Amino acid sequence: MFAASFVALSVAAFASASPLAARGASCSPNFEGVGLRVVDSWSGLEFGPSGETVLAPVVSSSFRGPSGLDWHFEQHGQPIVSYIIKDVNNNNLAVSARVDGSILLDTASNSGNAPDQLWTVQCDTCSTGISGIHGKVASQCIIRSPTHNGGCVVVGPSAGSPAIVTNSGSCSYFDFFSS
């Protein structure tokens, strides 16, 4: 009787521990060069460019509209996965984290090693074969800037508000969509 109870409790403890372990898992997507739209998972506000020029702020909307694709997330190619976020129509423009926490488009680094243009993306779920998917390809993602000691991107409270990098408060969680 004791052995049967012990086995039953052990199985129950193991079964309840498995989902918790899965919740802590994260992934860094391989976006396969597709154009992407990045949307705050809760507010529905976008992480988008205010224009297609150098020093255009990245804001909580996109000048291309709510269904337009805005970005290419290009993997940096180093062992620690990081991305250079480039304008979908102009690969000479990259998203840059400024010292004051603002996020702007700037001329893309020729070397691809400009620290202010490198970003990490950690998601709860990542699709594979993204180039063949239309719709959501990654969800519940945090975008971080290594130059800000791992500070995360936060979209503003309303459409058009600046997106920022911060080390205090809550991070925005984003969903990524392809065409």
Side-chain angles (χ1 to χ4, degrees), residues 47-111:
F47 174 76
S50 61
E52 198 174 310
T53 60
V54 171
L55 302 181
V58 176
V59 295
S60 303
S61 58
S62 171
F63 78 96
R64 294 183 178 103
S67 60
L69 302 177
D70 293 312
W71 310 114
H72 284 133
F73 278 65
E74 296 179 2
Q75 286 189 348
H76 181 254
Q78 300 301 317
I80 298 174
V81 178
S82 59
Y83 304 86
I84 302 165
I85 306 170
K86 293 185 176 179
D87 184 86
V88 73
N89 292 328
N90 185 347
N91 277 332
N92 292 318
L93 294 175
V95 175
S96 174
R98 301 302 191 173
V99 174
D100 66 359
S102 62
I103 305 172
L104 306 172
L105 288 178
D106 204 351
T107 303
S109 163
N110 288 332
S111 69

Side-chain angles (χ1 to χ4, degrees), residues 29-34 36 73 75 83 121 123 130-131 137-138 176:
N30 178 351
F31 291 114
E32 300 179 9
V34 301
L36 296 164
F73 278 65
Q75 286 189 348
Y83 304 86
V121 178
C123 304
I130 286 175
S131 60
V137 296
F176 287 71

Side-chain angles (χ1 to χ4, degrees), residues 136-150:
K136 190 184 292 187
V137 296
S139 64
Q140 297 293 301
C141 305
I142 296 176
I143 303 171
R144 294 188 184 280
S145 170
T147 60
H148 283 271
N149 297 319

